Amino acid sequence: MTQTSVTVYVVSDSAGDTGELAVRAAAAQFHPLSVQIRRAAFIHSPEGIDAVLAAAEEDLGMVLYTLVIPSLRDHIVAEAARRGVTAIDLLGTLIGRLEERFGRESRHQPGLNHVLDADYFRKVEAVEFAVKYDDARDVTGIHKADIVLIGVSRTSKTPLSMVLAHKTFKVANVPLVPELVPPKELFTVSPFKVVGLTINTEALNAIRKERLKALGLPDTASYATSERIERELRHAREVMDKIGCMVIDVSNKAVEETASLIMERFQR
């Protein structure tokens, strides 16, 4: 069965960062098709696994798991097969091969890659920041952020914020809409830390049409018309020019590629 939108449940007996990053990297290869990620972190019981698999079965989703506890891996394999849910083991095969080479069992201890050092806590803080200040929910985040992303809808502001957050950057993002006056904070913050995201009309038109289809809406809605998109892009460019910020064309770029360009500017 082909789908225009797929939900992937990331199941982990730790934080789930590794699995989510793997899914995002894979999803970038299918842009502009939609991959929704649902993270189920710190799963330590068969019941927790069962709940995730039930949700995945209901919405025809997939499961990617990074479970290091053997009993949980065995359970998810058996239960996923029983339910007919696709379940992908990200770490199990590698751990098994390493056990063969070393001639000893692994420690089977979740979370060892998250040593509780200063860098780890910065990452957690950055992720929480990105969630709190997503989509201009609170414009006070503009002055608090390391990086401020601006652009029209569907220019990957939110996923880009999360990728940068995993690199410990605190990111706020602000949508630019012709009918709304941009927050005054955009014009009082340093232009250096503002990054404008633009895209060509054809690419954005295709992305928005796919988004509407995924939501079960007709792709003829004004949101996806060329006239509407061109108006939004003109408005966004006027705002970016007024700020004097860096501008990146994301038309044919994966989120990770755009993130790399931004990080080059903000090297620590």
Side-chain angles (χ1 to χ4, degrees), residues 4-266:
T4 59
S5 178
V6 176
T7 300
V8 179
Y9 292 82
V10 176
V11 180
S12 176
D13 40 23
S14 184
D17 292 342
T18 302
E20 180 169 342
L21 287 174
V23 174
R24 289 195 181 282
Q29 302 300 317
F30 295 90
H31 182 79
L33 298 180
S34 175
V35 176
Q36 305 296 321
I37 300 174
R38 301 284 182 269
R39 192 190 297 202
F42 303 106
I43 298 293
H44 296 140
S45 69
E47 292 75 17
I49 290 172
D50 292 346
V52 176
L53 289 174
E57 181 181 18
E58 183 175 347
D59 62 16
L60 302 179
M62 300 169 57
V63 171
L64 180 137
Y65 58 97
T66 57
L67 299 169
V68 299
I69 300 173
S71 61
L72 293 182
R73 290 207 308 265
D74 292 344
H75 182 80
I76 200 169
V77 168
E79 186 63 12
R82 187 183 73 80
R83 291 177 178 270
V85 173
T86 298
I88 302 159
D89 186 356
L90 186 63
L91 295 180
T93 301
L94 178 57
I95 289 174
R97 295 295 179 266
L98 288 173
E99 286 177 335
E100 291 175 6
R101 291 297 183 95
F102 287 127
R104 56 168 289 183
E105 285 195 10
S106 74
R107 294 168 66 178
H108 303 313
Q109 184 177 341
L112 292 181
N113 60 322
H114 290 312
V115 179
L116 298 182
D117 56 12
D119 187 66
Y120 176 68
F121 285 113
R122 281 198 299 270
K123 181 187 294 186
V124 171
E125 186 179 4
V127 170
E128 292 175 347
F129 187 96
V131 172
K132 182 176 181 179
Y133 297 108
D134 181 50
D135 245 8
R137 292 175 187 167
D138 182 348
V139 295
T140 63
I142 292 172
H143 279 281
K144 299 174 185 175
D146 298 318
I147 302 170
V148 180
L149 302 177
I150 61 174
V152 302
S153 172
R154 310 310 291 179
T155 47
S156 300
K157 295 185 299 299
T158 297
L160 186 54
S161 296
M162 295 308 298
V163 170
L164 291 169
H166 279 87
K167 300 297 183 180
T168 73
F169 289 99
K170 292 181 180 178
V171 184
N173 77 75
V174 179
L176 298 179
V177 183
E179 291 78 12
L180 300 177
V181 176
K184 65 181 186 300
E185 288 81 359
L186 282 180
F187 306 101
T188 57
V189 73
S190 168
F192 179 83
K193 73 176 185 179
V194 181
V195 178
L197 304 177
T198 190
I199 188 171
N200 68 50
T201 302
E202 294 74 20
L204 186 54
N205 180 265
I207 292 169
R208 288 189 174 183
K209 283 185 175 181
E210 288 298 333
R211 180 59 176 162
L212 289 171
K213 287 179 184 177
L215 294 173
L217 300 172
D219 63 9
T220 54
S222 62
Y223 173 72
T225 63
S226 296
E227 294 78 10
R228 171 66 191 185
I229 288 171
E230 287 171 1
R231 181 186 172 203
E232 289 187 34
L233 292 174
R234 281 196 303 271
H235 169 73
R237 190 70 212 206
E238 289 170 0
V239 173
M240 294 172 195
D241 288 345
K242 185 175 180 180
I243 295 170
C245 62
M246 174 187 189
V247 178
I248 299 175
D249 188 334
V250 301
S251 299
N252 296 299
K253 289 183 177 66
V255 171
E256 290 76 12
E257 184 180 356
T258 306
S260 295
L261 292 173
I262 294 172
M263 286 188 289
E264 287 177 10
R265 180 178 177 87
F266 295 92

